[in-house]
């Protein structure tokens, strides 16, 4: 069964009638196979899954794409209905507030800030972004009270920030990180890929190919990462790269000598579209 609601009051009323644990998948909509993989995992585990579709103004900077971000609710609902055919006895509750004031009262004065993790990489390039993400996720967690919530590793730093928030605020929620879903070409699926021309999509493949090359170099000589470091330095001469970096997969520290797992994170920019991708390499 699918139920679509758009008001916070309706959400709270409905939730108060449910005793069983529920799963939760937060998104900004314009669904693709990446989002649906999160929903599928939640449905495999829970009888009732909440799925939010909300383009959160707090996580966009003043010159970013908030206004043109694709809003395709009808199409999204059809995709969820199609997936639900595989889960006939389950319920998905789509929370799709149309007006931001449904989630954030006007002139609200609360913000959740995860320091440290939020201040690097994406956080440096997009000041305030992770506070916007943490604030909306916290708010949705409070309203929905899920047992588990599902996040894509595609937004790796976001996944770490949310895990840190849950840990620091002792929220009784398990954060599940889900693998990146890719096009056949290797391009990580993203709602923003539709800003790209076919030619640019082809050009964007350099991102995944480069990450794979770095991964290969690390795997080739785990005790000496100099070859990978040199390769990264040469690659960064192409100024389409916002960054390409090897970090500790838990702390995002660049000190990776004793890391158990390394994350290779990269952002390649084509005009105003920033393509994000990453890979993890086990070092043990
Ligand atoms: P978004 O709607 O872009 O905010 O994404 C909502 C959730 O879907 C986030 O947890 C993302 O990390 C996840 N997600 C987005 N793209 C992918 C992908 N290609 N593979 C797996 N998860 C994804």
């Amino acid at each position: 069964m699918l139920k679509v609601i758009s008001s916070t009051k309706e959400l709270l009323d409905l939730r108060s009638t449910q005793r069983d644990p529920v799963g939760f998948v937060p998104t900004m909509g314009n669904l693709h196979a990446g989002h649906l993989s999160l929903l599928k995992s939640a449905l495999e585990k829970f009888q009732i899954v909440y799925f939010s579709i909300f383009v959160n103004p707090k996580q966009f900077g003043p010159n970013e794409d908030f206004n043109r971000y694709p809003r395709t609710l009808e199409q999204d609902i059809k995709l969820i209905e199609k997936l639900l055919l595989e889960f006939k006895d389950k319920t998905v509750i789509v929370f799709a507030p149309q007006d931001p004031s449904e989630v954030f009262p006007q002139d609200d004065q609360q913000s959740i800030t995860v320091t440290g993790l939020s201040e690097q990489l994406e956080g440096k390039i997009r000041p305030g972004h992770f506070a916007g993400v943490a604030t909306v996720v916290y708010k949705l967690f409070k309203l929905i009270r899920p047992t588990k919530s599902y996040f894509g590793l595609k937004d790796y730093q976001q996944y770490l920030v949310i895990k840190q928030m849950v840990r620091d605020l002792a929220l009784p929620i398990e954060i599940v990180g889900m693998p990146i879903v890719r096009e056949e070409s290797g391009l990580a699926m993203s709602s923003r890929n539709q800003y790209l021309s076919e030619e640019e999509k082809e050009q964007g493949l350099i991102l995944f190919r480069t990450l794979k090359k770095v991964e290969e170099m690390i795997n080739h000589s785990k005790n000496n990462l100099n070859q990978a470091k040199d390769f990264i330095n040469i690659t960064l001469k192409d100024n389409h790269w916002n960054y390409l970096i090897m970090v500790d997969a838990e702390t995002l520290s660049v000190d990776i000598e004793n890391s158990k797992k390394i994350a290779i994170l990269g952002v390649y920019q084509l005009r105003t579209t920033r393509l994000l991708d990453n890979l993890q390499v086990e070092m043990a």
Side-chain angles (χ1 to χ4, degrees), residues 25-38 51-55 59 69 129 133 150-156 158-159 162 176-183 187-193 276-277:
V25 181
T27 79
M28 297 205 298
N30 191 241
L31 304 185
H32 52 65
H35 299 111
L36 294 171
S37 73
L38 272 52
F51 190 97
S52 64
I53 296 181
F54 176 56
V55 184
Q59 70 186 70
Y69 196 86
H129 170 67
V133 171
Y150 297 74
F151 290 81
L153 297 180
K154 155 88 169 39
D155 301 285
Y156 190 72
Q158 166 175 287
Y159 161 71
I162 297 300
V176 184
M178 298 292 299
I180 300 175
V181 177
R182 302 177 179 281
E183 308 276 0
L187 184 68
M189 288 194 181
S190 163
S191 305
R192 289 184 167 108
N193 287 353
L276 274 76
D277 203 345

Side-chain angles (χ1 to χ4, degrees), residues 20 31 52 57 60-61 65 73 77 109 111 127-128 136 169 179-180 195 204 213 221 227 238 245 261 273 279 283:
D20 289 340
L31 304 185
S52 64
F60 288 78
D65 56 342
L73 185 58
I77 287 170
Q109 299 181 17
S111 180
V136 78
L169 299 176
I180 300 175
Y195 299 151
K213 227 182 241 180
S221 80
Q227 193 200 5
D238 169 358
I245 193 165
K261 207 202 277 183
T273 303
L279 288 177
M283 298 303 280

Side-chain angles (χ1 to χ4, degrees), residues 27-144:
T27 79
M28 297 205 298
N30 191 241
L31 304 185
H32 52 65
H35 299 111
L36 294 171
S37 73
L38 272 52
L39 178 56
K40 188 160 190 252
S41 285
L43 282 167
E44 277 160 3
K45 180 91 195 154
F46 293 94
Q47 202 59 35
I48 300 175
V49 174
Y50 281 76
F51 190 97
S52 64
I53 296 181
F54 176 56
V55 184
N56 168 30
K58 284 192 194 285
Q59 70 186 70
F60 288 78
N63 298 316
E64 294 184 356
D65 56 342
F66 176 71
N67 285 326
R68 72 167 177 146
Y69 196 86
R71 290 157 171 89
T72 53
L73 185 58
E74 258 179 56
Q75 180 188 309
D76 293 349
I77 287 170
K78 284 196 185 123
L79 288 171
I80 295 173
E81 274 171 345
K82 194 164 160 222
L83 178 62
L84 258 175
L85 295 175
E86 294 170 37
F87 297 91
K88 289 213 166 90
D89 59 329
K90 307 261 168 143
T91 299
V92 174
I93 296 156
V94 173
F95 178 50
Q98 296 308 296
D99 186 344
S101 68
E102 230 3 279
V103 179
F104 300 119
Q106 263 166 19
D107 306 321
D108 66 330
Q109 299 181 17
Q110 287 293 337
S111 180
I112 304 282
T113 309
V114 177
T115 55
L117 277 177
S118 288
E119 289 158 11
Q120 316 166 49
L121 303 168
E122 283 306 286
K124 243 188 214 157
I125 296 174
R126 307 181 68 189
H129 170 67
F130 286 120
V133 171
T135 305
V136 78
V137 170
Y138 180 82
K139 187 87 190 244
L140 293 167
F141 281 178
K142 288 293 279 184
L143 295 170
I144 293 166

